[in-house]
Amino acid sequence: MRLFESVIDLTLGGASRSEQVGLSPAALVVVESDGAIEQVDALKTAYPGRAPPG
């Protein structure tokens, strides 16, 4: 549902609220179980080391 809403928002000239669609920077972080703060998990799927700690 969020993906659909983001596509509609972008179509109507608004901003996306998802890191998956659009060019807006992601406004969220991931807190790992060891307390490390990193970028969104989607970047980790590219290859190991792609998402360095922010």
Side-chain angles (χ1 to χ4, degrees), residues 1-48:
M1 191 67 183
R2 290 181 197 155
L3 178 62
F4 179 72
E5 289 175 348
S6 290
V7 171
I8 296 298
D9 287 343
L10 286 171
T11 303
L12 296 175
S16 175
R17 291 179 289 165
S18 170
E19 74 274 3
Q20 299 171 335
V21 179
L23 300 174
S24 303
L28 53 105
V29 296
V30 173
V31 180
E32 295 290 338
S33 58
D34 65 355
I37 298 174
E38 297 186 358
Q39 297 171 347
V40 292
D41 286 333
L43 295 175
K44 293 180 183 178
T45 62
Y47 53 85

